[in-house]
Amino acid sequence: FHIGEREEKCIIEDIPSDTLVVGNYKVQRWDIHKHDFLESAPGLGMFVTVTSPSGEVLLSKLYGPQGTFSFTSYLSGEHIICFQSNSTRFAVVAGSKLRIHLDIRVGEHFLDESALQAKDKVNEVNVRLEHLIEQIHHVTREQDYEREREEKFRKTSEETNSNILWWAVVQTLILISVGFWQIKSLRDFFISKKLV
């Protein structure tokens, strides 16, 4: 995505609880003379801020023109990840565009490559088995989170349907009472005019 040099850009990521999130980014600055983005942006860094669904700041750190950030969510829900350059140029002068390449991996698991290259095959199988077990736990957490979201959605839908039913009943009662009132008013009118 593209942002201005002094602009802040935020994205929302829906993340289950107890999940590791790893993000890699790279910043490129627009070159006016070449009319293209430079391969790197030396001297330019990025403030990365991550906010939990409860509003608590999980990560607030300055990184270089390219870097990796990671955090673990402790609440399930929408996490806000914001990026802003550390440019100190005035807003009038800082009119150049920045291109940010971003890769966010939710539920990332690290494999120790040196352990995988061990000569003992039992250790290698053991490490791979532990990695698979960790992935199974992540999938289980993800499914539990989706069940929670589905249950909230179902409750909201049922409440809405119930409210609609009661609103229809109230409208029907109002319509019937207005009808009876009109009949009584017309009858009283005709009796007073001695038409009946």
Side-chain angles (χ1 to χ4, degrees):
F1 58 88
H2 294 104
I3 63 171
E5 196 168 329
R6 302 280 305 243
E7 182 183 354
E8 181 179 45
K9 181 81 165 192
C10 296
I11 60 170
I12 297 173
E13 193 72 31
D14 203 1
I15 304 170
S17 62
D18 297 324
T19 303
L20 177 66
V21 178
V22 177
N24 296 312
Y25 73 90
K26 178 182 175 184
V27 180
Q28 294 177 307
R29 188 187 301 219
W30 178 257
D31 187 3
I32 298 172
H33 305 294
K34 294 182 181 179
H35 297 291
D36 196 12
F37 287 97
L38 298 173
E39 195 55 38
S40 66
L44 193 65
M46 292 298 284
F47 284 109
V48 179
T49 307
V50 179
T51 309
S52 72
S54 65
E56 181 181 340
V57 177
L58 298 177
L59 174 72
S60 180
K61 191 172 178 184
L62 174 63
Y63 293 92
Q66 107 178 37
T68 301
F69 62 91
S70 64
F71 66 93
T72 302
S73 64
Y74 66 91
L75 283 176
S76 57
E78 294 180 342
H79 289 68
I80 301 172
I81 304 170
C82 297
F83 298 90
Q84 185 176 19
S85 73
N86 67 341
S87 174
T88 56
R89 300 192 324 179
F90 292 114
V92 176
V93 181
S96 66
K97 294 185 289 186
L98 299 176
R99 176 187 286 168
I100 300 177
H101 301 271
L102 178 64
D103 178 29
I104 294 180
R105 295 188 180 133
V106 177
E108 185 70 17
H109 303 287
F110 295 111
L111 262 179
D112 187 7
E113 293 298 326
S114 62
L116 290 178
Q117 296 172 356
K119 293 181 182 177
D120 187 11
K121 292 293 183 183
V122 174
N123 284 342
E124 183 178 337
V125 170
N126 216 5
V127 168
R128 288 192 183 271
L129 184 62
E130 287 175 5
H131 180 68
L132 287 174
I133 289 170
E134 187 178 331
Q135 285 181 328
I136 289 170
H137 288 305
H138 172 68
V139 169
T140 304
R141 284 194 307 269
E142 188 82 30
Q143 286 176 338
D144 290 341
Y145 178 59
E146 291 301 323
R147 270 191 219 104
E148 286 176 23
R149 289 184 58 197
E150 189 270 334
E151 188 176 325
K152 284 181 189 175
F153 180 74
R154 188 172 0 101
K155 283 181 182 177
T156 304
S157 297
E158 288 172 359
E159 288 174 5
T160 304
N161 287 339
S162 174
N163 291 340
I164 290 172
L165 175 69
W166 284 111
W167 179 243
V169 168
V170 167
Q171 280 183 327
T172 304
L173 291 175
I174 290 173
L175 186 64
I176 290 171
S177 62
V178 167
F180 280 128
W181 177 78
Q182 283 182 339
I183 290 171
K184 184 184 178 315
S185 296
L186 280 173
R187 190 171 146 236
D188 291 343
F189 174 74
F190 288 142
I191 288 174
S192 70
K193 294 294 182 182
K194 297 184 182 186
L195 296 173
V196 177

